[in-house]
Amino acid sequence: MSRYPLYFGVIFMNYRDIYNSFLHDLENIQRHYSLTEQGLKISEEIKSKLEQYLRKIDELNSLEKLKNNLDYYTVDYSASFRKLRKRLIFKLGELVNLGEEIEKIMYTLEREKNK
């Protein structure tokens, strides 16, 4: 699990929870509504984006493991940590952007199911 929870009032969500929420919404729409051809294309796009999202979560988890295994007594610990921090911030940005993109596509699918 990711160690970067998002705080919404009293509810904590980590990135895996957000992924599961998107997946649950997509499955509910597919189960309860008959989608148009455009709706089916949109749902396939969402599935593809969710696979990318899951890969990004795994990349973040790998970076976190790398951080935990970084030896404080390494010759250049602070430089190594700065590089790792920079990569982590970049990956977090990618994950947030991808989440926003999925949210927009989900909204499009929501409109499509109401047609």
Side-chain angles (χ1 to χ4, degrees):
M1 284 293 169
S2 175
R3 298 177 117 194
Y4 307 100
L6 301 175
Y7 180 71
F8 297 105
V10 188
I11 301 170
F12 284 97
M13 293 180 78
N14 64 31
Y15 299 120
R16 184 76 63 172
D17 294 335
I18 294 170
Y19 167 82
N20 287 335
S21 175
F22 280 136
L23 189 61
H24 182 311
D25 289 350
L26 179 61
E27 288 172 349
N28 275 343
I29 290 171
Q30 289 176 330
R31 193 173 320 127
H32 298 293
Y33 297 94
S34 59
L35 297 172
T36 63
E37 186 176 323
Q38 181 65 22
L40 292 173
K41 287 180 185 176
I42 294 170
S43 68
E44 287 303 315
E45 182 181 1
I46 292 172
K47 286 179 187 176
S48 171
K49 296 288 182 184
L50 285 174
E51 288 173 8
Q52 291 175 20
Y53 191 87
L54 201 52
R55 283 194 300 272
K56 299 273 181 215
I57 291 172
D58 291 340
E59 290 172 11
L60 279 172
N61 287 336
S62 295
L63 285 174
E64 186 170 322
K65 287 178 188 173
L66 185 61
K67 177 192 70 102
N68 291 338
N69 293 329
L70 196 59
D71 186 1
Y72 182 76
Y73 299 103
T74 306
V75 175
D76 203 357
Y77 174 81
S78 55
S80 299
F81 198 80
R82 277 193 308 272
K83 287 179 186 176
L84 186 60
R85 181 180 60 216
K86 186 177 180 178
R87 286 176 53 198
L88 183 62
I89 290 169
F90 178 76
K91 292 295 178 187
L92 283 169
E94 285 183 337
L95 189 66
V96 168
N97 291 337
L98 187 56
E100 286 179 39
E101 194 175 329
I102 294 169
E103 186 66 44
K104 288 176 186 174
I105 298 169
M106 286 294 290
Y107 177 74
T108 304
L109 184 62
E110 286 283 334
R111 286 189 325 212
E112 192 67 31
K113 78 172 189 187
N114 292 327
K115 287 185 176 180

